[in-house]
């Protein structure tokens, strides 16, 4: 469908979100896109890495009690919003992550594993040296009430406007 708003955010190749990493610019690896008349959107980015969840607090106590590791496999977050449809919030996972079958958060399902395609040839028209990955993902929205949750991470400019 045309005109859906798509929020995307993901960690860096070091497994850090920008708000966790002083070396990254504010709102780095976060973006909002709109689907075109063909219902598509696209962007170029870096491949995210998996990361450990914090072990402090009650969640950390729970993870330690289970004797499991505390890693999430690499993923991209998506939130898709369009009036008249239930807001779709999901994650797409990288199949080559060593923790793909043991996500501490139990978030991985087969349908959420992305078809990352490794390309061994450079793609100068895209500005990519080899190797690089492509990922095509189809999202299906369901009729219903559109609700947009307030973003937990806000830019400094947004925070000043609040
Ligand atoms: Fe994440």
């Amino acid at each position: 469908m045309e005109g859906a708003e798509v929020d995307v955010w993901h960690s860096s190749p070091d497994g850090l979100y920008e708000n966790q990493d002083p070396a990254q610019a504010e709102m780095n690896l976060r973006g909002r896109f709109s689907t075109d008349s063909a219902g598509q959107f696209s962007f170029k980015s870096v491949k995210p890495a998996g990361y450990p969840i914090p072990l402090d607090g009650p969640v950390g106590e729970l993870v330690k009690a289970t004797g499991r590791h505390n890693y999430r496999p690499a993923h991209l977050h998506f939130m898709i919003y369009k009036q008249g449809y239930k807001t779709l919030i999901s994650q797409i996972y990288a199949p080559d992550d060593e923790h793909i079958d043991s996500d501490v958060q139990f978030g991985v399902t087969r349908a959420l594993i992305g078809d990352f395609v490794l390309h061994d040839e450079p793609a100068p028209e895209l500005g990519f040296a080899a190797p690089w990955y492509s990922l095509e993902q189809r999202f299906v929205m369901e009729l219903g009430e559109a609700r947009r949750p307030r973003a937990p991470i806000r830019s400094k400019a947004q925070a000043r406007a609040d």
Side-chain angles (χ1 to χ4, degrees), residues 8 11 22 26 39 51 70 75 90 115 130 133 136 138 146 148:
V8 182
S11 67
E26 186 179 31
Y51 54 81
N70 63 321
H75 55 273
S90 193
D115 184 19
Y133 290 88
E136 290 190 17
R138 180 182 174 90
R148 181 163 18 219

Side-chain angles (χ1 to χ4, degrees), residues 9-11 17 51 72-73 75-77 91 105:
W9 64 103
H10 65 79
S11 67
Y17 289 95
Y51 54 81
R72 304 224 55 228
H75 55 273
L76 299 99
H77 291 265
Q91 302 175 20
Q105 191 176 298

Side-chain angles (χ1 to χ4, degrees), residues 88-103:
L88 193 161
I89 303 174
S90 193
Q91 302 175 20
I92 300 300
Y93 296 89
D96 59 353
D97 191 287
E98 64 179 301
H99 299 112
I100 191 67
D101 58 357
S102 62
D103 178 13

Side-chain angles (χ1 to χ4, degrees), residues 91-95 100-101 106-115 137:
Q91 302 175 20
I92 300 300
Y93 296 89
I100 191 67
D101 58 357
F106 299 102
V108 180
T109 67
R110 189 168 301 279
L112 297 179
I113 297 176
D115 184 19
Q137 185 67 41

